[in-house]
Amino acid sequence: MSFKMAIVGYGGMGSWHHSNIKELNKEIEVVGAFDIRPEAKEKIIENKLHSYENIQKLYDDKSIDLVLVSTPNDTHVTYAISLLKSGKNVICEKPVTLNKAELERIYEVSEKTGKFFTVHQNRRWDSDLLTVKNIFENKILSKPYTIESRVQGSRKSLHGWRGYKINGGGMVYDWGIHLMDQMLQLIPSKIIEVEAHLHSIDAKEVDDDFTAMFRFENGLTFIINIDMQCFILQPRWYLKCSDGTAIIENWELDGKIVKLLDDEGSLDWSEDIVYTAAGPTRSMVPRPKNTTQEIPLPIVKGEWSDYYKNIADVLNGKSSLIVTKEQALRLMELVDLVFLSNDNKQSVKCFL
Ligand code: NAD
């Protein structure tokens, strides 16, 4: 069976979804779009879609099964609620809303109308995340105690509406939301403390550098950093585990694992102080190379098409949503705590 989809907001992401769905999923057909910008309207027509004259015409179009909302962040809540009320299933771009309270309003309407609502958390299918998952699931490394996840660039200035508070701009909402969603997918434990630091280095109103530290009930520390003024990039992932360390340098998945050889963790270190490049020390004496092994990253390639496949399966009644209400609400509650911690300039205790 084929399902008809429309897009609200035919900018960078809206048009990306259109071409991606055309290529990756035969069960969903994008047939129309609505945008307020004249140039976007022209592009809609150029790309052989129906251009809705106004949003009411889309609400009234009973042939549409599914609508994707890919407008600036502040407009998601209003569109989502109105589209659900008009009888459409809705996928919303991330960040789904600006806070948890807005999202709760959307799910109330979704439940009343019986139409589904979900979020495009596409970065759950990123190859780097799936590779990290693989390292833990196959016990290549175990007992992580600190995980660092970073996305950094040096563009400095934020593009368009992303620079304005009223539109839900800034890096917490833009990239932070992806990295926090990945973290929640990766760590099977509750968060018990959040400390977030937001900086506006170049941006006037919003954060363009975001660092947060999350303490989990199982003892793990997770550090997230998004930065737009990094001229020497840090690794995308750095995993510190009791039996080794892994590094994923970049999106090309360069990196390695260095793991202790069996029983070599209890090496008989000299009792005497040692003179090293760091000066006299016992604690930081370099480890003999023959006590560790270097393992290539066990790379897993992700497919973003799996997201649309899930949506088509839900529409066909064959599956339930991968990005669930509980997950989306938990993520937005975490976003609320990030802003609270930054505003109060202190960590926030929680059980989330
Ligand atoms: P964009 O500025 O390129 O596109 C937004 C479009 O929405 C524009 O064409 C604009 O004219 C239109 N628009 C603005 N206000 C509108 C309104 N009230 N009604 C209808 N149309 C309106 O922005 P973008 O980069 O495409 O981002 C759109 C959404 O997608 C954001 O929520 C963003 O966070 C998200 N996004 C997600 C990813 C991802 O990887 N999942 C990547 C980029 C952007």
Side-chain angles (χ1 to χ4, degrees), residues 8-14 17 34-37 40 69-73 75-76 79 93-95 120 122-123 159 161-162 173-174 178 304:
V8 179
Y10 201 74
M13 210 50 194
H17 276 283
F34 169 70
D35 200 293
I36 51 171
R37 221 165 18 103
V69 178
S70 51
T71 49
N73 302 339
T75 61
H76 293 176
Y79 275 131
E93 260 306 340
K94 51 52 57 176
H120 185 235
N122 50 319
R123 292 198 172 272
H159 181 252
W161 56 265
R162 282 177 171 77
Y173 287 130
D174 200 47
H178 282 307
W304 282 7

Side-chain angles (χ1 to χ4, degrees), residues 100 184 189-194 215-217 326 329-337 349-352:
K100 187 182 175 200
L184 296 181
S189 179
K190 294 279 187 188
I191 297 173
I192 56 171
E193 190 175 4
V194 177
R215 189 191 300 278
F216 281 82
E217 197 187 18
E326 291 69 29
L329 286 168
R330 185 179 179 214
L331 180 58
M332 287 319 297
E333 190 169 340
L334 190 57
V335 169
D336 288 350
L337 295 181
K349 302 277 187 214
C350 57
F351 193 68
L352 179 64

Side-chain angles (χ1 to χ4, degrees), residues 73-74 76-78 80 92-104 106 117 119 173 177 328 332 335:
N73 302 339
D74 58 308
H76 293 176
V77 60
T78 311
C92 187
E93 260 306 340
K94 51 52 57 176
V96 57
T97 49
L98 302 189
N99 51 53
K100 187 182 175 200
E102 285 184 356
L103 183 57
E104 282 171 330
I106 296 178
F117 178 79
V119 192
Y173 287 130
I177 200 99
M332 287 319 297
V335 169

Side-chain angles (χ1 to χ4, degrees), residues 241-303:
C241 305
S242 60
D243 54 354
T245 310
I247 188 166
I248 301 182
E249 299 276 4
N250 47 34
W251 300 107
E252 286 76 33
L253 303 180
D254 296 317
K256 63 182 175 189
I257 297 169
V258 175
K259 186 174 181 172
L260 278 177
L261 286 169
D262 289 346
D263 293 334
E264 297 292 353
S266 53
L267 183 72
D268 209 5
W269 293 96
S270 160
E271 284 301 316
D272 297 331
I273 199 151
V274 180
Y275 294 88
T276 70
T281 176
R282 287 185 183 86
S283 321
M284 293 301 158
V285 174
R287 169 171 286 280
K289 275 227 158 29
N290 61 0
T291 65
T292 56
Q293 58 180 321
E294 199 171 306
I295 305 171
L297 290 174
I299 289 174
V300 177
K301 288 280 178 199
E303 294 291 343

Side-chain angles (χ1 to χ4, degrees), residues 76-195:
H76 293 176
V77 60
T78 311
Y79 275 131
I81 289 177
S82 305
L83 286 161
L84 287 164
K85 283 185 176 165
S86 78
K88 316 290 191 284
N89 297 294
V90 177
I91 303 175
C92 187
E93 260 306 340
K94 51 52 57 176
V96 57
T97 49
L98 302 189
N99 51 53
K100 187 182 175 200
E102 285 184 356
L103 183 57
E104 282 171 330
R105 284 172 48 212
I106 296 178
Y107 277 115
E108 263 171 43
V109 179
S110 165
E111 268 146 39
K112 269 192 203 140
T113 57
K115 295 294 162 185
F116 77 66
F117 178 79
T118 192
V119 192
H120 185 235
Q121 294 294 166
N122 50 319
R123 292 198 172 272
R124 289 187 190 183
W125 288 270
D126 279 8
S127 301
D128 56 72
L129 173 71
L130 299 182
T131 301
V132 170
K133 270 191 179 166
N134 193 20
I135 290 172
F136 293 136
E137 279 168 10
N138 286 307
K139 305 212 175 345
I140 300 169
L141 291 179
S142 51
K143 299 202 189 103
Y145 57 91
T146 303
I147 296 181
E148 302 177 17
S149 169
R150 294 188 165 85
V151 169
Q152 300 172 329
S154 54
R155 183 194 154 119
K156 277 179 80 72
S157 60
L158 284 153
H159 181 252
W161 56 265
R162 282 177 171 77
Y164 298 99
K165 200 173 171 67
I166 195 167
N167 296 124
M171 282 298 120
V172 171
Y173 287 130
D174 200 47
W175 270 96
I177 200 99
H178 282 307
L179 268 52
M180 286 189 276
D181 183 62
Q182 291 183 338
M183 173 180 75
L184 296 181
Q185 295 308 302
L186 194 61
I187 310 302
S189 179
K190 294 279 187 188
I191 297 173
I192 56 171
E193 190 175 4
V194 177
E195 174 152 350

